[in-house]
Amino acid sequence: MADHRLIVRSGPSPGTVFDVTKEVTMLGRDVTNDIPLGDAEISRQHARLTRTPGGIVLEDLGSTNGSFVNGDRLTSPRVLRSGDLVGLGENVTLTFEATAQESAATVMSPVRAAPPPRPAARPAPPAAAGPATPMGMPAISAEEGGGRNRWLLAGCGCLLLLAACIVVFALMDSYMPDTLYAPLRMLGF
């Protein structure tokens, strides 16, 4: 019987329970992972759970969209406690739980130190319309924006490329019109 498990709260297949039974458990989008999570925001090998004497440790493996514990982005490995919310990317949330046997062993064993007290949960700030942008559209927060920043950057890159092409065409038209229009003349235009 597993002494720890992850329960999918949001993302693909909510309610799915994954028992953590191995010394090292891999999480990610690739189907070869111990815990495969089919979401586009998850990296192929996103995170790793490692069983240590101090407990189960979660480590982000350099994922694109990050790993989170109780809303805090992981910057280094972190020991999980029963009840912790594990976020992977922007869409997947899992609850980490210790089974009754593990919880009882923690309470009964005089050798183990008690876990440090968890900070009180901060309530989420209320959603506000936010300041208007110059075009009169409401500003989009980072939480609402999702992957929109990537699309914005891609769009800006396309506009810069288009502007560079126009500049090159204008320079060729000014300095080398014979070369620029020769293919059109050959076609009879």
Side-chain angles (χ1 to χ4, degrees), residues 33-107:
N33 287 294
D34 302 306
I35 299 178
L37 299 162
D39 186 278
E41 297 291 322
I42 302 234
S43 297
R44 284 184 184 93
Q45 290 191 330
H46 195 95
R48 171 175 46 219
L49 293 171
T50 306
R51 188 177 299 275
T52 68
I56 302 291
V57 174
L58 176 66
E59 178 182 4
D60 184 81
L61 299 175
S63 65
T64 303
N65 295 313
S67 298
F68 305 83
V69 175
N70 299 324
D72 297 327
R73 188 174 186 129
L74 283 183
T75 55
S76 61
R78 180 165 168 180
V79 176
L80 295 176
R81 303 286 176 224
S82 188
D84 280 347
L85 290 178
V86 175
L88 302 175
E90 298 175 9
N91 302 323
V92 177
T93 306
L94 307 111
T95 302
F96 177 78
E97 289 184 354
T99 61
Q101 289 178 338
E102 175 67 17
S103 298
T106 303
V107 172

Side-chain angles (χ1 to χ4, degrees), residues 94-182:
L94 307 111
T95 302
F96 177 78
E97 289 184 354
T99 61
Q101 289 178 338
E102 175 67 17
S103 298
T106 303
V107 172
M108 307 277 272
S109 174
V111 178
R112 292 187 185 187
R118 292 178 51 190
R122 290 178 278 152
T133 61
M135 298 178 78
M137 301 285 291
I140 297 174
S141 69
E143 294 85 21
E144 295 170 354
R148 292 183 183 149
N149 288 341
R150 282 181 275 175
W151 286 107
L152 180 64
L153 288 174
C156 289
C158 289
L159 287 176
L160 285 173
L161 183 61
L162 180 62
C165 290
I166 291 170
V167 168
V168 168
F169 183 79
L171 288 174
M172 285 181 70
D173 186 43
S174 299
Y175 294 107
M176 301 183 313
D178 294 335
T179 306
L180 183 63
Y181 297 111

